[in-house]
Amino acid sequence: MSMRTRLYLEAEPFQNASGAINAWVEEELRALGHEVERFNHLHPNAGDSGIPVANARRVLALHSRPAADLAIYCDLGLGIRAPSRELARRTLVLFHGLHGHPTTWLGNPLIDLYGALSPYMHDTLTSLLLTPDWSGRRCLDPRGAANVGTLVPFLPCLEAPDGESRLQGVELPRAVQEALERGEVLGHAIQPGKADWPAVCAILLGLRTHAREHGRPPVRLVVAAQDFALLQHVIRFGFPFPAHALAQALQAADTTLEDLLLPVPHLSQPALFRLFREARFGLSYNVTPEPFGMYVLESVLNGCPVYTNGAGNNRHALPPRHGIHVHETEAMAAGAPDAYASIAARIFQDVLAPAPVREACQRGAALIRRTFTRAAFSSGFRAGLARLESDAARPGCAFEDLVVRLSPTVRKLDAPSGRFRSDYRDDQLGEEEQALLPQVLGKSAGDVLRADTRLTPLEALFDKGVLSLTPPESARPPRSTLGAWAWYPPDATFLEPSLLRDSDPRQSPLLPGA
């Protein structure tokens, strides 16, 4: 008898990158003989913009049929219907990110397996599920934390080198080709809603200055049309983020947004790949952490290097000197006026002398082709299904045995000032928090409590996202796919404290001398 499986997914097949991964999940299930039924979010035209009549009808239909053997959700698909045993005997949630309905999965005993798309997401999910209550000597969901698995996503372009034609979008606008014909140097940053625009504009203004001083062609960045419209709105109205400094910088440089940015509509993947092959660099200075980083990998695969602050898995997507250059400094954390001058100078240098970055992208492309394959995705996904069917859910370990480590979301921590940057927030430690940090790093929760540690600064370190708990080495579940991510820091969050050096931004961002 075939397995009955229901999919609750936000994106339709090949609607976007998440939709492509969703489509491969469905293809794998059908290849295994599953009887698959898929539910996507209702389109606003269904009439549910104010009164959820269509949703009520669908919920009724779901509860009028027998429970499925398996329910698979993506994080945003959790909004279609919350997991329950009435809907399915087993539940798997696949995380394209962490911004979809967190209260439906945090501490939910009905979720049998959490699926992460990178070791970074594995560690971040685990740390959230192990959020501690120090007074009660417990954490949020130790059983859930022990049942987080990692998949190696498949890059469809490995089977379609000119781009997956099923991914939706339009052709490359004529304006891009005209800019190239005028000799302009183009970069790209087409990740709608993700960019740190003050940082991106500061880099572009620096590049524009270098081009003028050296008598070189102007530099422009190809961006999503919706981001360009947002920036125009911001400069005009000062919302949703302060635009005074950006407007002043543009005025001082006698420059307009149109001089810096070239907006395009949502591109098909073949059109996007043509842009990658013509562009000289990509920027991924983002405020939204990447759970995987398909965009930056596709850029490198097409020979275009990417410069990034390393938000999310962007700092782990490839090893150093493989086409992704991670550059984040203390000046950036401090908000210094010339904080982005160094990365603008680096990009301009690489545009003038591109041979080293071309070689780096060739190394990166070779590694991508070996790693992010359909076979690797299929193997990992099928192993996850077997784990679900084995009824062998791993138990969580005792609270006292959990170990205090730096959070996997921390990108940079400056020991003398206590200033830090992370995928959660940028902030500064108080004096008591700063003093306590080296005393608790690497200690078990039991040892921390036995030392009569003051709980107020300890809890503040966790609430600021600087510290996290993790299972001890002996209790950490194996990652069946870790061999495919051999360059991932052997868990940066599990290393002994050491100094983060600007020359090698992939080192663990831990405190010196702790």
Side-chain angles (χ1 to χ4, degrees):
M1 183 176 175
S2 63
M3 289 268 291
R4 294 192 311 275
T5 300
R6 292 191 190 127
L7 305 180
Y8 299 91
L9 306 171
E10 185 269 338
E12 296 185 3
F14 297 101
Q15 178 182 342
N16 50 29
S18 297
I21 293 173
N22 295 343
W24 306 325
V25 166
E26 185 170 347
E27 288 175 12
E28 286 293 327
L29 290 167
R30 293 191 187 279
L32 289 167
H34 285 233
E35 194 178 301
V36 180
E37 192 175 13
R38 170 166 44 86
F39 299 90
N40 295 105
H41 269 301
L42 289 175
H43 193 276
N45 290 341
D48 274 13
S49 57
I51 306 296
V53 173
N55 273 294
R57 175 61 60 187
R58 183 158 72 172
V59 169
L60 176 63
L62 286 171
H63 286 275
S64 66
R65 61 189 72 186
D69 297 296
L70 174 64
I72 298 180
Y73 292 80
C74 71
D75 53 303
L76 287 170
L78 287 162
I80 297 173
R81 187 61 176 160
S84 75
R85 293 296 182 228
E86 186 181 351
L87 294 180
R89 186 170 56 86
R90 291 281 186 272
T91 299
L92 161 65
V93 180
L94 181 63
F95 288 84
H96 297 305
L98 293 173
H99 46 278
H101 310 282
T103 57
T104 62
W105 59 264
L106 281 167
N108 187 339
L110 299 177
I111 295 175
D112 300 289
L113 186 62
Y114 296 80
L117 295 176
S118 64
Y120 162 80
M121 276 292 288
H122 175 284
D123 290 348
T124 301
L125 272 168
T126 301
S127 71
L128 290 167
L129 293 167
L130 292 178
T131 297
D133 171 8
W134 288 96
S135 300
R137 292 176 177 254
R138 63 190 182 94
C139 57
L140 178 62
D141 187 4
R143 181 210 60 86
N147 290 282
V148 180
T150 308
L151 281 173
V152 174
F154 166 53
L155 288 189
C157 54
L158 296 184
E159 294 182 352
D162 291 327
E164 169 57 74
S165 60
R166 289 175 291 178
L167 280 164
Q168 299 170 21
V170 303
E171 288 300 306
L172 201 62
R174 177 63 188 161
V176 174
Q177 189 59 43
E178 289 172 351
L180 292 167
E181 290 170 357
R182 290 193 298 269
E184 293 183 22
V185 174
L186 295 185
H188 65 83
I190 311 176
Q191 293 184 279
K194 294 186 176 183
D196 178 349
W197 285 110
V200 168
C201 289
I203 294 168
L204 292 172
L205 287 169
L207 285 168
R208 189 170 180 82
T209 298
H210 284 296
R212 282 175 172 170
E213 290 175 351
H214 289 81
R216 308 293 295 187
V219 178
R220 272 208 292 176
L221 192 69
V222 181
V223 301
Q226 64 203 75
D227 282 340
F228 184 77
L230 172 67
L231 280 171
Q232 288 180 312
H233 178 90
V234 164
I235 288 178
R236 184 175 179 184
F237 298 108
F239 179 84
F241 57 82
H244 180 66
L246 175 57
Q248 276 192 329
L250 291 171
Q251 186 175 12
D254 191 22
T255 300
T256 66
L257 277 181
E258 289 78 3
D259 294 328
L260 299 179
L261 306 175
L262 177 54
V264 296
H266 180 64
L267 300 177
S268 68
Q269 194 171 75
L272 181 65
F273 283 14
R274 286 197 293 275
L275 173 62
F276 286 161
R277 291 165 186 171
E278 295 283 2
R280 303 297 298 277
F281 65 93
L283 285 183
S284 193
Y285 274 76
N286 290 353
V287 292
T288 303
E290 282 294 329
F292 170 48
M294 189 178 292
Y295 182 84
V296 297
L297 291 171
E298 289 170 341
S299 179
V300 171
L301 188 64
N302 283 278
C304 185
V306 177
Y307 302 82
T308 175
N309 58 351
N313 197 56
N314 277 353
R315 62 186 179 276
H316 307 303
L318 288 174
R321 297 174 295 282
H322 279 67
I324 298 175
H325 181 73
V326 182
H327 187 88
E328 187 167 53
T329 66
E330 275 144 32
M332 295 174 188
D338 59 348
Y340 296 92
S342 56
I343 187 60
R346 170 62 190 265
I347 295 170
F348 190 74
Q349 171 192 326
D350 290 343
V351 168
L352 292 180
V357 291
R358 282 181 185 151
E359 292 170 4
C361 286
Q362 289 168 0
R363 289 190 293 271
L367 184 55
I368 290 166
R369 291 189 184 98
R370 293 196 303 269
T371 303
F372 302 106
T373 65
R374 183 61 180 262
F377 175 79
S378 177
S379 173
F381 182 71
R382 294 181 185 212
L385 293 182
R387 180 171 164 182
L388 277 171
E389 284 307 302
S390 70
D391 289 322
R394 297 188 179 97
C397 60
F399 179 78
E400 287 76 9
D401 295 333
L402 297 171
V403 180
V404 178
R405 302 293 187 191
L406 203 70
S407 167
T409 64
V410 173
R411 304 199 302 266
K412 186 94 173 175
L413 195 154
D414 178 55
S417 68
R419 187 179 294 113
F420 66 89
R421 300 201 92 175
S422 83
D423 297 331
Y424 171 54
R425 65 195 275 187
D426 297 344
D427 206 341
Q428 188 162 2
L429 301 180
E431 289 184 10
E432 196 173 5
E433 298 158 11
Q434 218 172 327
L436 181 61
L437 186 58
Q439 297 174 27
V440 298
L441 270 174
K443 303 284 182 63
S444 71
D447 286 344
V448 170
L449 289 170
R450 283 188 287 272
D452 291 326
T453 304
R454 270 186 36 83
L455 296 188
T456 299
L458 179 65
E459 289 168 347
L461 286 167
F462 281 84
D463 290 344
K464 288 181 177 180
V466 173
L467 291 182
S468 64
L469 290 179
T470 190
E473 186 72 28
S474 60
R476 284 171 51 210
R479 294 198 192 103
S480 60
T481 56
L482 187 59
W485 298 84
W487 61 87
Y488 182 71
D491 296 313
T493 55
F494 301 98
L495 297 175
E496 289 304 309
S498 60
L499 177 64
L500 173 67
R501 304 181 189 280
D502 286 338
S503 59
D504 186 359
R506 309 301 175 89
Q507 291 186 40
S508 178
L510 307 179
L511 287 170

